Amino acid sequence: MKKISIGPLYLQVRSHMKSRIESGEWPEGSVIPGENELAEFYKVSRVTMRTAIKALVDDGTLVRKAGFGTTVAMNRSSMSNFTLVRSFTNEMNEMGLPSKTMQVELRMIEADVILASIFGIQPGDKLYNLRRVRGTVVPIQYCDTYLLPVVEIPNDKEILTGSLYAFLTKQNVFFSHFEEVVTAVRAPKPIRQALLIYDEYTPQLKRKRFSYDDRNKLIEYTETFYHTEHYEYRTEIFYRK
């Protein structure tokens, strides 16, 4: 395979595969070649090939179907037509850094007045609450997600530490648009402790994300705090024809 960029080999393979999808060589819904065939084509090991495919599955570009193979995701407005912000895992991968979920907790809660107002529901209505601390070798991100129970989220470590959007897409939950607000704040003490921030006066980035389905219904609301000594907030906006 001709190298197309500098960086980990699996990222080069992933980028080239994505180009083949966007060019129409592999149409939506089509089954891509098998792992062995692709590894031979790209002249890489099966481990590298498997990692590249997993990255495309995690970002919603590919879909694995048991007993059927790996297919190109169908054109749905939430995942195919545009991308607003890369996932934390993909951001770290593209920087060549390892990423992991250091703490995770999933619970079902009753909406308080503030959450009920945000979602347009009644106080006491049920919401999923997923809290995660994620980072590399140090904690970087404290993520507090609230989600309408439109599907059941199993208390499964692999799912909870992976991409929430990839899981929802596999459950046929799609988003039409997102709204984000980014501010500089002093993080509350429990969050500073989770992120190992020892100076209470150091401002941190706080991002609020509102995720809507194709009926303009708010499905997910997330508050994320970033350790500014270890993170730059990045966005990537493009339209996939």
Side-chain angles (χ1 to χ4, degrees):
M1 181 190 67
K2 179 183 178 181
K3 291 188 177 182
I4 54 178
S5 63
I6 298 174
L9 189 54
Y10 84 92
L11 291 179
Q12 298 180 43
V13 173
R14 186 194 70 166
S15 177
H16 191 268
M17 290 178 67
K18 208 159 190 175
S19 295
R20 297 173 75 176
I21 293 169
E22 292 173 353
S23 70
E25 179 181 347
W26 292 338
E28 296 167 8
S30 65
V31 180
I32 68 170
E35 186 179 288
N36 289 341
E37 182 179 345
L38 287 170
E40 183 177 351
F41 174 83
Y42 285 107
K43 308 299 182 187
V44 297
S45 69
R46 288 187 61 187
V47 172
T48 297
M49 195 66 247
R50 190 177 302 123
T51 304
I53 292 173
K54 182 180 184 301
L56 290 169
V57 171
D58 288 345
D59 71 13
T61 301
L62 296 177
V63 177
R64 280 199 179 109
K65 296 182 179 180
F68 186 71
T70 303
T71 64
V72 178
M74 297 300 292
N75 183 14
R76 298 300 296 265
S77 59
S78 63
M79 294 295 174
S80 293
N81 283 346
F82 60 87
T83 298
L84 291 177
V85 181
R86 292 185 293 250
S87 72
F88 176 77
T89 300
N90 287 340
E91 283 188 313
M92 295 298 104
N93 287 342
E94 291 184 8
M95 294 169 64
L97 297 173
S99 64
K100 61 181 178 179
T101 299
M102 298 170 167
Q103 298 176 33
V104 61
E105 177 189 16
L106 176 69
R107 56 185 184 146
M108 185 70 77
I109 65 168
E110 295 183 354
D112 59 18
V113 174
I114 295 176
L115 288 171
S117 175
I118 290 172
F119 280 95
I121 58 179
Q122 295 298 315
D125 285 355
K126 299 295 185 181
L127 289 171
Y128 277 116
N129 179 211
L130 175 62
R131 292 181 175 177
R132 296 189 286 186
V133 177
R134 311 176 82 179
T136 54
V137 294
V138 295
I140 295 175
Q141 177 194 86
Y142 181 99
C143 193
D144 198 4
T145 296
Y146 300 92
L147 187 76
L148 289 180
V150 290
V151 296
E152 181 181 357
I153 302 179
N155 205 341
D156 179 274
K157 183 178 179 180
E158 184 175 353
I159 291 174
L160 299 184
T161 58
S163 168
L164 176 62
Y165 291 140
F167 169 77
L168 293 174
T169 298
K170 291 176 182 177
Q171 304 301 313
N172 293 316
V173 177
F174 299 96
F175 297 99
S176 65
H177 71 280
F178 302 84
E179 296 177 3
E180 292 194 343
V181 178
V182 179
T183 54
V185 301
R186 291 182 186 174
K189 185 176 180 179
I191 296 176
R192 295 199 309 271
Q193 291 175 335
L195 294 178
L196 303 182
I197 299 170
Y198 302 108
D199 183 358
E200 65 178 296
Y201 298 105
T202 300
Q204 307 304 318
L205 284 180
K206 178 183 179 181
R207 185 197 71 200
K208 295 189 291 185
R209 178 183 290 179
F210 305 81
S211 306
Y212 298 85
D213 67 10
D214 54 9
R215 294 172 297 174
N216 205 38
K217 181 179 179 63
L218 182 67
I219 298 296
E220 176 225 359
Y221 169 69
T222 295
E223 294 185 352
T224 303
F225 294 83
Y226 296 93
H227 195 316
T228 50
E229 290 184 13
H230 306 297
Y231 183 80
E232 284 185 343
Y233 185 72
R234 303 179 178 191
T235 61
E236 179 182 9
I237 301 174
F238 62 89
Y239 188 85
R240 187 180 300 165
K241 297 182 179 180

